[in-house]
Amino acid sequence: PRLAALRVKGRGFSEDDKREVLALQQDAVSQIIPLYRKLAESGQIELTTSPFYHPILPLLIDTDIAKRSRPETALPQRFQAPADAEAQIQKAVALHTELFGMPPAGLWPSEGSVCPEMAPILRRAGLRWMATDEGVLARSLGSWNRHQDLYHPYRVGQPVTASSPMLLGSSMPRRCRSQPWRTCCAGSPTSWSVRRVIMY
């Protein structure tokens, strides 16, 4: 009711008006994490995490990874900090677990940036899937049929027989079977295999 009254007022707000709006905003924000935790505990939602300080993980691992999808890109002196990338994930998982009472299963990478080298790092942190956008997926597959290829999780592994496979997509299906797909991942080494995971 008070916000509605301020909206009707429209202008000439006092410092008390501003403080009241700020207090209402802070109260609303303070309820977000408890609400999300409650919904996650009830199984209504799944919460993901992202790298702790939101870096572009592939470039933190190795700036030369950028050349795989954009070989013409001019880059600065090569920088490699895979241990820092791993720390970003470990800190993110730890904070998520502290706030929500359970570790995350999935990662929403900063700007959807992914590379094969991320998968072992994520596995070690207990993450089972990561998401990206259809542009990255299309470049990774090479041959692209949007209607056929979109909205499927894809399994990545190094090698294919590795335990705890990483799924690339938007969900972790409870039951799935996989069929061999194609070696890909935007210029990744050919030892990497991507599998299409099919729900049944």
Side-chain angles (χ1 to χ4, degrees):
R2 180 58 179 151
L3 285 178
L6 290 172
R7 184 174 182 179
V8 170
K9 184 177 180 180
R11 64 180 63 198
F13 301 110
S14 68
E15 291 303 312
D16 285 341
D17 291 338
K18 297 173 189 177
R19 280 190 286 270
E20 185 170 4
V21 171
L22 180 59
L24 289 169
Q25 289 176 333
Q26 290 173 330
D27 180 62
V29 168
S30 72
Q31 297 176 42
I32 292 174
I33 289 176
L35 174 61
Y36 280 19
R37 179 169 180 156
K38 179 180 178 181
L39 293 172
E41 288 172 346
S42 71
Q44 288 182 267
I45 62 172
E46 178 180 353
L47 300 173
T48 63
T49 192
S50 63
F52 194 75
Y53 287 113
H54 210 68
I56 306 297
L57 275 189
L59 298 182
L60 188 55
I61 292 168
D62 184 351
T63 51
D64 277 7
I65 287 175
K67 293 180 180 178
R68 294 179 187 167
S69 59
R70 299 182 182 276
E72 74 287 354
T73 301
L75 296 173
Q77 182 178 353
R78 189 177 189 182
F79 176 81
Q80 297 171 286
D84 288 358
E86 187 140 12
Q88 291 286 327
I89 297 301
Q90 291 171 346
K91 288 184 176 183
V93 169
L95 180 61
H96 184 107
T97 304
E98 177 186 338
L99 292 175
F100 300 110
M102 63 183 74
L107 179 81
W108 194 269
S110 313
E111 317 314 323
S113 54
V114 296
C115 66
E117 290 85 349
M118 287 170 57
I121 293 173
L122 271 55
R123 285 194 196 101
R124 286 193 290 271
L127 294 164
R128 299 194 305 273
W129 63 268
M130 56 183 165
T132 190
D133 64 29
E134 67 180 89
V136 172
L137 179 61
R139 293 175 69 94
S140 298
L141 294 178
S143 174
W144 174 245
N145 180 320
R146 189 174 191 273
H147 178 73
Q148 178 179 333
D149 298 332
L150 204 55
Y151 308 118
H152 296 289
Y154 289 80
R155 182 174 298 175
V156 297
Q158 188 184 23
V160 174
T161 56
S163 60
S164 302
M166 174 66 59
L167 293 184
L168 177 68
S170 60
S171 64
M172 183 71 175
R174 291 185 179 180
R175 297 200 306 159
C176 62
R177 59 186 173 87
S178 62
Q179 65 183 31
W181 194 235
R182 65 179 74 233
T183 301
C184 63
C185 272
S188 63
T190 56
S191 61
W192 275 80
S193 175
V194 174
R195 293 184 173 195
R196 180 178 175 188
V197 179
I198 303 173
M199 299 289 292
Y200 71 93

